[in-house]
Amino acid sequence: MTHPIESFPLQIPQAQLDDLAQRLAQIRWPDPETVSDNSQGPKLERLRALVEHWRNGYDWRATEAQLNQWNSSRTEIDGLGIHFLHIRSPHPDALPLLMTHGWPGSILEFRAMVGPLTDPTAHGGDASDAFHLVIPALPGFGFSDKPRSPGWGVGKTASAWAQLMDRLGYGQRWAAQGGDWGAAVTTALGHMRPPGLIGIHLNMVMYQPTEDEIAQATPEEQRMLADAQRYERELSGYMKVQSTRPQSIGFSLADSPVGLAAWIYALFQDASDSGAKPERVIEVDALIDDIMLYWLPNAGPSSVRFYWEGMREMQQQGPARAIPIPAGVSMFPGELLRLSRRWAEARFDDLRFFAEAEHGGHFAALENPTTLTEHVRETFRLLR
């Protein structure tokens, strides 16, 4: 049975927003951190400022209206309801592009790229660079359904995305892009090579350096290795919890909006190219929008289980294989897991594009959407 594509306008009951307001008005704050840096996590004053804006300066209804204007849709794949944005270009020859977010991102992280990608002529570009966009929420994220049994990891998600593109009528010719878990799903698609997929673009590459690469690393590659080691040593606590005991943190993420906000804010603080002040590069409203796409559907617990699924998949995989499909890679200087062009060339059979941005970090679509947009255009310009 083929399930239909359905319109899925969002209309959050006011009672839910009133409940959130009440919870935000009754916070029991922790003691301040005992250090002057960020080594213990987000500072109390930062979260107080975020919550103050959340309570008195933020409007969910405006975000809700924007999502609905972008053709909020839903379909069922393998028994799971998938929420996605389907934004058609005004240019009929546009290339369908699947864009996949990660954690703690959301479908809204691509918001600044929507206009330039779908309607390039209105943003100083050329009609030949136009894309139809399909932006799904990962299983258990946002308003996609929550898996009720194990198995919805990277591989099954990639298979579902291929089905989604075919169901939308794009099965003859399409492309895919992603970062973070979105990069893992997009990489899996590259290995699967489903019908019609002409190429992929990644702004993060999941890899392990070889002994020879470590031994022969250039000074710049040594800095890449040092950043990866710092992430593992100092900044990966969330990943280890979510990979091994996701339900332990899940109770807090479900019950406390500030607990959820702090858990998410920590990643924006640690992984953005912002000097540990994400508000410098991402608008506060955009940060709260992201948090709301976890809070409103109670997706905090289900989203972090994606790590539990992903880590088990990785443990079962054999040696890494080169990606066989044409690909483009963008490296942003604030990304903690970076690789050089020569390391990338060893992991892609057909690397068509590689570039390093001047600024931006792990959340490239939010931090430097202009450069990421241009890199996506350049990659697929070579493949159209």
Side-chain angles (χ1 to χ4, degrees):
M1 175 182 176
T2 299
H3 292 273
I5 302 293
E6 300 175 333
S7 178
F8 188 68
L10 299 175
Q11 182 63 42
I12 299 301
Q14 185 60 41
Q16 255 189 278
L17 301 180
D18 293 343
D19 173 76
L20 171 61
Q22 184 176 8
R23 289 169 185 261
L24 292 177
Q26 297 179 341
I27 303 163
R28 183 170 71 168
W29 293 102
D31 293 339
E33 60 283 349
T34 58
V35 293
S36 58
D37 58 18
N38 297 300
S39 60
Q40 294 181 352
K43 293 183 177 180
L44 176 61
E45 63 178 355
R46 294 280 181 77
L47 265 296
R48 280 188 177 275
L50 182 79
V51 170
E52 177 63 25
H53 184 78
W54 199 355
R55 291 184 60 196
N56 299 308
Y58 172 77
D59 179 14
W60 162 254
R61 294 301 185 195
T63 299
E64 186 178 71
Q66 178 66 84
L67 288 167
N68 290 336
Q69 288 172 9
W70 281 333
N71 192 17
S72 175
S73 302
R74 176 183 168 91
T75 192
E76 185 177 316
I77 301 175
D78 290 342
L80 200 75
I82 299 297
H83 177 232
F84 63 98
L85 305 179
H86 183 201
I87 310 164
R88 294 275 300 179
S89 170
H91 303 288
D93 295 330
L95 176 67
L97 177 64
L98 173 75
M99 303 187 79
T100 308
H101 66 88
W103 189 93
S106 72
I107 57 175
L108 276 172
E109 70 186 62
F110 303 110
R111 69 199 313 166
M113 300 175 68
V114 168
L117 288 176
T118 59
D119 193 4
T121 57
H123 296 81
D126 192 277
S128 62
D129 286 327
F131 296 90
H132 301 307
L133 298 183
V134 179
I135 308 175
L138 288 166
F141 287 68
F143 293 96
S144 286
D145 283 356
K146 302 170 179 62
R148 296 185 177 182
S149 58
W152 274 98
V154 170
K156 189 167 184 176
T157 300
S159 178
W161 281 190
Q163 292 182 58
L164 174 63
M165 295 303 282
D166 183 65
R167 193 173 295 179
L168 289 169
Y170 294 143
Q172 295 299 311
R173 188 172 178 81
W174 56 284
Q177 196 281 332
D180 192 78
W181 281 116
V185 172
T186 303
T187 298
L189 281 166
H191 285 298
M192 288 169 50
R193 306 190 77 167
L197 181 60
I198 64 169
I200 65 173
H201 177 274
L202 307 174
N203 57 281
M204 175 181 163
V205 178
M206 294 184 176
Y207 77 103
Q208 290 292 332
T210 66
E211 291 183 4
D212 285 345
E213 286 171 336
I214 294 172
Q216 300 169 15
T218 66
E220 177 60 25
E221 289 167 342
Q222 289 173 0
R223 284 190 288 273
M224 294 175 183
L225 293 172
D227 282 344
Q229 290 167 356
R230 175 174 173 260
Y231 166 77
E232 176 65 25
R233 184 178 64 251
E234 300 176 16
L235 305 176
S236 65
Y238 77 96
M239 184 267 291
K240 292 169 183 174
V241 170
Q242 294 176 181
S243 299
T244 60
R245 292 295 185 273
Q247 200 69 359
S248 295
I249 190 64
F251 291 97
S252 298
L253 302 182
D255 187 60
S256 169
V258 176
L260 173 70
W263 195 248
I264 289 175
Y265 183 92
L267 264 293
F268 282 105
Q269 171 183 280
D270 294 341
S272 62
D273 188 19
S274 65
K277 296 180 179 179
E279 300 89 346
R280 289 178 174 176
V281 297
I282 304 171
E283 292 184 2
V284 176
D285 277 350
L287 291 173
I288 298 173
D289 280 340
D290 187 80
I291 295 164
M292 289 289 274
L293 287 189
Y294 290 87
W295 176 258
L296 292 174
N298 195 14
S302 52
S303 69
V304 300
R305 283 196 289 270
F306 203 83
Y307 280 77
W308 187 91
E309 297 281 0
M311 291 303 135
R312 274 150 185 76
E313 284 181 298
M314 291 181 185
Q315 291 165 4
Q316 296 168 8
Q317 290 173 352
R321 296 172 291 131
I323 297 172
I325 202 167
V329 171
S330 297
M331 285 290 102
F332 288 78
E335 172 62 66
L336 294 167
L337 186 61
R338 304 187 308 283
L339 79 173
S340 63
R341 178 188 289 270
R342 69 176 184 140
W343 288 357
E345 288 172 344
R347 291 167 171 83
F348 294 85
D349 285 340
D350 190 2
L351 186 65
R352 300 289 183 96
F353 176 87
F354 183 94
E356 298 180 4
E358 292 185 1
H359 67 90
H362 185 69
F363 304 97
L366 285 167
E367 299 178 58
N368 190 352
T370 300
T371 296
L372 183 57
T373 296
E374 187 53 38
H375 287 185
V376 169
R377 286 176 176 172
E378 290 186 44
T379 295
F380 297 114
R381 198 176 287 154
L382 302 171
L383 300 172
R384 288 177 185 262

